[in-house]
Amino acid sequence: MKRLSIIAAIVLLAAGCGKPKEKLYAEQPTSSCLQKAGVQVGGVGSDDFVASSATGGAFHATLKDNQVTVSFGETLVDADNIDQAYRRFHAKNVGIDDVLRTQGNAVMLWHQHPSDDDISTITGCLSS
């Protein structure tokens, strides 16, 4: 009987455990953080169909030596769809794996290969 109780407790604990939820980021607090850090932030152009149709919004940020468009999905699945759309529609002469990064529901499309400092600036401001 005692053994059965232990097994039941383990099963209940295992049922309550699962993959931890990934944090979802939001456009407004992220862009505000970047502006406070001295990064120029603006809207995305209508010529960037992927970013302009992002379900969680998007913005364009200009850093000292680079530029990045940050698009947000309302869910992780939405972010994956944004990532896939950029991969599908990129120019054939663009090494997309070098300039496209995803963290949680935020998708970052860099103008050129980002430095570690630039990545740190953007990801350090990702907020919910």
Side-chain angles (χ1 to χ4, degrees):
M1 186 69 162
K2 185 175 182 180
R3 185 176 242 190
L4 187 58
S5 296
I6 292 172
I7 292 172
I10 291 171
V11 168
L12 286 174
L13 283 172
C17 297
K19 188 176 179 182
K21 284 187 124 179
E22 185 133 9
K23 187 172 184 177
L24 297 178
Y25 304 109
E27 174 191 6
Q28 194 283 321
T30 301
S31 63
S32 292
C33 173
L34 289 168
Q35 288 172 337
K36 288 177 188 170
V39 175
Q40 183 181 351
V41 176
V44 295
S46 59
D47 59 332
D48 187 340
F49 174 76
V50 175
S52 62
S53 62
T55 57
F59 61 80
H60 184 81
T62 302
L63 296 101
K64 182 180 173 190
D65 298 321
N66 207 345
Q67 299 174 39
V68 63
T69 299
V70 184
S71 304
F72 298 86
E74 287 183 350
T75 65
L76 297 177
V77 171
D78 288 348
D80 187 50
N81 290 338
I82 293 166
D83 181 274
Q84 288 178 23
Y86 274 130
R87 289 179 189 283
R88 179 173 295 125
F89 299 121
H90 77 280
K92 298 304 175 203
N93 64 339
V94 174
I96 194 72
D97 292 329
D98 189 45
V99 294
L100 186 65
R101 309 278 161 86
T102 300
Q103 183 168 323
N105 65 316
V107 180
M108 295 155 275
L109 180 64
W110 294 89
H111 178 71
Q112 61 190 16
H113 177 81
S115 68
D116 290 342
D117 286 343
D118 287 346
I119 293 171
S120 179
T121 297
I122 300 299
T123 59
C125 273
L126 289 175
S127 307
S128 53

